[in-house]
Amino acid sequence: MKKRFADRLFYLIDWTMLVVSVVIVILPLMNVVSCSVSDASAVGAGKVYLLPTGFNTKAYEMLFHTQALMTGFFNTVFYTLTGTCLNIFLTVICAYPLSRHDMHGKGWIMMLFTFTMIFSGGMIPNYLLMKNLHLLNTRWVMVLPGAMSVYNMIVARTFFMANIPRELNEAAAMDGASDLQMLSKVALPLSKPILAVLTLFYAQGHWNAYFDGFMYLTNPKLLNLQVVLRNMMSEIASMMGGEGAGDMAAAQEAALMQDVVKYAAIVFTSIPIIMVYPFVQKHFVKGVMIGAVKG
């Protein structure tokens, strides 16, 4: 009876903490969505909490009628898809050989990879490197510099070591399979959880890559969505004021509308990543725990 009471108490505390955590996460999201479709004066006065006040979609109309935003959106989709595919390819072809017990010198190679996690050249040397490689103001500058994360590679290596038995590779080798066939027909089909997690992590990183676009790109046709939204926030006052920008009422309206557009921009940039998560959710919990178990 004591054990059953302790279990019930544990489940009660567990569910209470879970509900509180969900509320802490959901309430700010509801507030952001409500503010994005509320009247600008209500948002500026702080009257919007969980439900919209004075339903208004003017902020979204401003976003979707801006050609630069659509260009930035498609650029970001390109950077995300291309960059994620390259990330997964390089991560797998590095992690799988390093997980094999018969690879010589893998200890030294891992030490070199780990060194890059601790020491880096810094922002200015990276910028000069991109300039000398003639990558500035090209699409590849948003893809190649972060082509692989060493941390993610180590997590993938740990997964291969823990979930791909040595005997399975030996059996495939006895059947005449090459190393490439072992990877493509044995290892990868068994690695869906870690591939799903890495895809989500890499895609989110590319989608939110504001600093890279801000530092390496100046061509308006190549800017990613985050930089375009930043530029829009800087120009929203003049967009709202128009010819009457000197009018105090127009300036006040522009300032209020700027806050609503910010909320709409947050929703607009978050939806694509949120829509991806349900497709990888079943693999996410298993894959994200891979690095927690060693040996």
Side-chain angles (χ1 to χ4, degrees):
M1 292 296 296
K2 292 183 179 179
K3 185 177 181 180
R4 292 179 58 187
F5 175 76
D7 290 340
R8 292 176 180 176
L9 180 61
F10 171 78
Y11 287 127
L12 177 61
I13 296 175
D14 190 28
W15 275 102
T16 302
M17 294 181 63
L18 181 62
V19 171
V20 171
S21 300
V22 170
V23 170
I24 293 175
V25 173
I26 292 297
L27 291 184
L29 294 177
M30 293 179 61
N31 178 259
V32 170
V33 174
S34 297
C35 288
S36 68
V37 292
S38 296
D39 185 71
S41 59
V43 175
K47 298 180 180 179
V48 182
Y49 297 101
L50 299 181
L51 298 177
T53 301
F55 187 80
N56 189 348
T57 61
K58 190 174 182 179
Y60 288 99
E61 293 175 2
M62 290 181 60
L63 290 178
F64 289 115
H65 284 84
T66 305
Q67 181 60 38
L69 182 72
M70 294 295 103
T71 302
F73 177 81
F74 289 114
N75 286 337
T76 301
V77 171
F78 173 81
Y79 298 145
T80 301
L81 294 179
T82 306
T84 302
C85 291
L86 181 62
N87 294 146
I88 296 297
F89 175 75
L90 293 178
T91 300
V92 169
I93 65 171
C94 286
Y96 179 72
L98 291 173
S99 69
R100 297 285 298 269
H101 71 282
D102 54 349
M103 180 179 179
H104 300 290
K106 63 180 182 180
W108 289 98
I109 297 175
M110 283 301 304
M111 185 174 65
L112 293 176
F113 275 121
T114 307
F115 181 84
T116 64
M117 297 177 63
I118 304 173
F119 302 98
S120 64
M123 180 180 67
I124 295 177
N126 283 336
Y127 181 86
L128 295 177
L129 176 63
M130 296 302 107
K131 181 180 179 181
N132 293 334
L133 293 176
H134 304 288
L135 291 177
L136 295 182
N137 274 324
T138 65
R139 296 189 182 277
W140 298 111
V141 77
M142 298 293 293
V143 176
L144 295 180
M148 189 187 75
S149 167
V150 176
Y151 175 81
N152 289 339
M153 188 274 292
I154 294 176
V155 172
R157 170 180 172 268
T158 304
F159 180 92
F160 288 137
M161 294 175 64
N163 294 271
I164 309 298
R166 180 186 305 179
E167 294 77 11
L168 195 59
N169 288 326
E170 293 175 351
M174 292 179 63
D175 290 337
S178 63
D179 290 332
L180 182 60
Q181 289 175 325
M182 292 182 194
L183 173 61
S184 60
K185 297 183 178 180
V186 177
L188 290 183
L190 299 176
S191 304
K192 292 181 181 179
I194 191 62
L195 292 179
V197 172
L198 293 179
T199 299
L200 181 60
F201 284 170
Y202 278 129
Q204 183 178 13
H206 285 291
W207 188 266
N208 296 323
Y210 163 76
F211 189 73
D212 290 344
F214 181 75
M215 185 167 61
Y216 297 135
L217 299 177
T218 57
N219 187 344
K221 296 182 179 179
L222 300 178
L223 295 179
N224 59 338
L225 182 61
Q226 307 297 335
V227 178
V228 171
L229 289 173
R230 181 259 181 189
N231 294 339
M232 285 185 60
M233 293 301 101
S234 300
E235 300 172 359
I236 187 66
S238 59
M239 291 171 57
M240 289 297 301
E243 296 180 356
D247 187 12
M248 183 64 67
Q252 184 177 5
E253 180 185 0
L256 293 174
M257 197 62 197
Q258 185 177 11
D259 292 334
V260 182
V261 174
K262 289 179 181 179
Y263 288 115
I266 293 173
V267 175
F268 178 73
T269 55
S270 301
I271 286 179
I273 294 298
I274 294 176
M275 293 177 61
V276 171
Y277 181 77
F279 296 99
V280 300
Q281 182 180 8
K282 62 180 181 180
H283 302 298
F284 188 82
V285 175
K286 181 179 179 181
V288 80
M289 293 298 292
I290 296 303
V293 181
K294 307 295 182 182

